[in-house]
């Protein structure tokens, strides 16, 4: 039987049954650990953990990111300086000698000798060809003889006229006889004049049997050989003078309106690409060449050095306007933002925004005149879109 304070066996917990068994065996029952003891153990464990845990690591300081330094080539920058701006018109064409002459025969006959060949230099008056003078000498002699005979008749007629006039004053001859004497004398005088001219022509033909150079120059063509029989007017040589060359150029109709005589021209010729020759516009054709939209323009070039040759293809830049001491930048240096147009100026390692006011464009828009920059400023001239105001930079050689 159980006591009043004891629970029946079926209602006892496992711990209570274990304690009942221990009591029956004469052992002490196990004490129950109270909730306060458990709580105390938990508190003690927490204190030990916080006392014995390692210290928290110190916070790591994050270094600031270094700015990116852009490298600029010397060729990508330019120093501002006053310059001469030019507006030019481009023309192309060929070179020809400004002085050339076709030497033709002024006398007929058989060619005895030819003294020069193409490429030979000649001086004015130098003998080029000798024509057989025999026939010309005979013609001159014949003309002179005829003139002498007529001259004698004229003298006789003049004497007869004087006698007739004297008789007429004395009333010893009729007026018709006097008039007849005067007519005969006048006819002989006219005939004498014609014969004198014929003698001069024959003398000139004989002198023309020796063909001479009309000017200093170089023989470019020869179309006569010794032994050939030629007629008056036959072309014999072409002589050119290369001291002055004419650049026969063509320019567009629109740009030709800006071209005028006297304007300076810089000319480069094929084969002489590293040399520039100075010329001046001598004249401008007012009408475009048939079938084209180009205007013929003629430029005179001094060629005393003899480097230019006839037939060379050439290109010219005609200066139609210019402005000295101008401040200008390449068009590629200009940038634009909400505040307007500007350039990037190099300022002690940092690119600075420098506002500018664009003016007239030159060299077909490649160069733009600006205000807002001073001589000595250095700017970015290349179109480097990745650069911005405030960027760090350093310059390096190309």
């Amino acid at each position: 039987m159980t006591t009043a304070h004891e629970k029946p066996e079926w209602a006892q917990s496992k711990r209570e049954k274990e304690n009942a068994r221990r009591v029956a065996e004469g052992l002490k029952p196990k004490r129950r650990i109270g909730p306060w003891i458990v709580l105390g153990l938990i508190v003690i464990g927490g204190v030990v953990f916080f006392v014995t845990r390692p210290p928290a690591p110190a916070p790591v300081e994050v270094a600031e990111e270094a700015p990116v330094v852009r490298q600029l080539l010397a060729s990508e920058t330019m120093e501002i300086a006053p310059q001469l701006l030019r507006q030019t018109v481009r023309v192309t064409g060929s070179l020809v000698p400004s002085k050339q002459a076709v030497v033709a025969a002024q006398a007929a006959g058989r060619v005895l000798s030819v003294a020069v060949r193409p490429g030979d230099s000649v001086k004015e008056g130098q003998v080029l060809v000798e024509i057989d003078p025999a026939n010309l000498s005979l013609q001159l002699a014949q003309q002179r003889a005829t003139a002498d005979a007529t001259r004698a008749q004229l003298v006789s007629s003049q004497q007869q006229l004087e006698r007739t006039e004297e008789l007429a004053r004395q009333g010893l001859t009729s007026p018709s006889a006097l008039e007849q004497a005067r007519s005969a004398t006048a006819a002989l005088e006219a005939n004498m004049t014609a014969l004198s001219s014929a003698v001069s022509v024959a003398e000139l033909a004989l002198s023309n049997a020796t063909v001479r150079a009309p000017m200093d120059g170089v023989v470019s063509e020869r179309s006569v050989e010794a032994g050939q029989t030629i007629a008056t007017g036959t072309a014999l040589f072409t002589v050119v003078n290369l001291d002055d060359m004419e650049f026969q150029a063509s320019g567009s109709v629109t740009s030709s309106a800006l071209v005028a005589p006297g304007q300076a021209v810089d000319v480069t010729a094929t084969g002489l690409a590293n040399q520039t020759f100075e010329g001046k516009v001598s004249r401008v054709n007012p009408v475009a060449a048939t079938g084209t939209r180009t205007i013929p323009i003629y430029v005179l070039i001094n060629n005393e050095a003899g480097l230019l040759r006839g037939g060379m293809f050439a290109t010219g830049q005609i200066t139609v306007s210019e402005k000295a001491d101008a401040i200008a930048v390449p068009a590629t240096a200009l940038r634009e933002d909400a505040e307007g147009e500007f350039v990037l100026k190099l300022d002690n390692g940092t690119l600075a925004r420098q506002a500018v006011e664009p003016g007239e464009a030159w060299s077909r828009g490649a160069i733009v005149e600006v205000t807002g920059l001073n001589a000595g400023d250095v700017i970015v001239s290349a179109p480097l879109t990745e650069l911005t105001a405030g960027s760090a930079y350093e310059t390096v050689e190309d």
Side-chain angles (χ1 to χ4, degrees):
M1 292 185 62
T2 58
T3 61
H5 63 277
E6 292 178 339
K7 293 181 181 180
E9 183 177 356
W10 59 267
Q12 295 178 358
S13 65
K14 185 177 181 179
R15 182 183 60 80
E16 291 173 337
K17 290 179 179 181
E18 176 64 21
N19 284 336
R21 185 186 60 80
R22 290 177 66 88
V23 170
E25 293 177 356
L27 299 176
K28 291 182 178 182
K30 291 184 179 180
R31 294 180 177 274
R32 183 178 181 182
I33 300 176
W36 292 108
I37 296 174
V38 175
L39 179 61
L41 291 175
I42 293 173
V43 172
I44 292 171
V47 172
V48 171
F49 172 77
F50 281 105
V51 171
T52 59
R53 72 173 180 173
V60 179
E61 295 185 359
V62 179
E64 295 184 1
E65 185 178 355
V68 177
V69 178
R70 305 287 187 177
Q71 288 188 337
L72 287 176
L73 299 177
S75 59
E76 295 172 336
T77 65
M78 69 169 290
E79 182 177 352
I80 301 300
Q83 58 181 301
L84 176 63
L85 298 179
R86 291 181 177 178
Q87 192 75 19
T88 62
V89 170
R90 183 177 182 272
V91 293
T92 58
S94 299
L95 298 175
V96 298
S98 61
K99 297 179 182 178
Q100 55 183 330
V102 177
V103 181
Q106 294 182 345
R110 184 173 63 89
V111 176
L112 294 179
S113 63
V114 182
V116 294
R117 297 169 297 177
D120 288 342
S121 297
V122 296
K123 295 291 185 181
E124 182 178 356
Q126 180 179 334
V127 175
L128 304 179
V129 172
E130 289 283 0
I131 300 174
D132 189 352
N135 291 335
L136 299 175
S137 297
L138 289 175
Q139 292 175 8
L140 175 58
Q142 183 179 1
Q143 293 295 339
R144 283 175 174 173
T146 303
D148 289 344
T150 303
R151 189 178 293 107
Q153 292 176 4
L154 177 59
V155 171
S156 176
S157 178
Q158 289 173 340
Q159 292 174 350
Q160 181 63 32
L161 176 59
E162 290 176 358
R163 288 194 294 270
T164 302
E165 289 175 341
E166 182 62 27
L167 290 174
R169 281 193 296 271
Q170 296 175 3
L172 299 177
T173 187
S174 63
S176 60
L178 176 60
E179 185 62 30
Q180 185 178 0
R182 287 176 175 172
S183 297
T185 301
L188 288 172
E189 287 176 345
N191 195 19
M192 189 65 220
T193 300
L195 290 173
S196 296
S197 297
V199 170
S200 298
V201 171
E203 290 174 344
L204 180 60
L206 180 60
S207 68
N208 286 337
T210 300
V211 180
R212 300 179 183 275
M215 63 181 181
D216 294 349
V218 179
V219 176
S220 63
E221 293 184 22
R222 165 179 157 174
S223 54
V224 63
E225 299 295 336
Q228 182 179 344
T229 299
I230 60 176
T232 302
T234 301
L236 306 177
F237 299 95
T238 299
V239 178
V240 298
N241 187 309
L242 299 179
D243 289 345
D244 294 306
M245 300 293 290
E246 185 175 70
F247 178 27
Q248 296 180 350
S250 297
S252 67
V253 173
T254 53
S255 60
S256 66
L258 304 174
V259 180
Q263 291 174 339
V265 187
D266 292 333
V267 180
T268 56
T270 302
L272 301 172
N274 295 327
Q275 300 189 53
T276 301
F277 301 86
E278 295 181 358
K280 285 190 179 296
V281 177
S282 59
R283 60 192 192 279
V284 179
N285 198 313
V287 180
T290 304
T292 70
R293 298 291 296 170
T294 60
I295 292 289
I297 299 171
Y298 304 92
V299 178
L300 191 62
I301 305 170
N302 184 281
N303 187 39
E304 291 182 353
L307 297 177
L308 300 176
R309 296 286 187 271
M312 280 184 169
F313 181 80
T315 301
Q317 298 289 345
I318 303 175
T319 301
V320 296
S321 63
E322 60 183 13
K323 183 176 182 179
D325 298 328
I327 299 297
V329 300
T332 54
L334 292 177
R335 299 162 182 258
E336 188 173 6
D337 58 14
E339 298 180 17
E341 297 195 64
F342 67 97
V343 296
L344 292 178
K345 184 169 71 173
L346 278 64
D347 185 12
N348 296 323
T350 303
L351 296 176
R353 182 187 187 281
Q354 178 63 53
V356 295
E357 184 68 28
E360 184 178 358
W362 296 77
S363 299
R364 298 185 178 184
I367 298 176
V368 180
E369 192 175 356
V370 297
T371 56
L373 290 172
N374 299 314
D377 290 344
V378 180
I379 66 168
V380 177
S381 58
L384 303 176
T385 56
E386 68 274 14
L387 298 181
T388 59
S391 297
Y393 73 88
E394 64 176 1
T395 56
V396 295
E397 295 297 328
D398 293 343

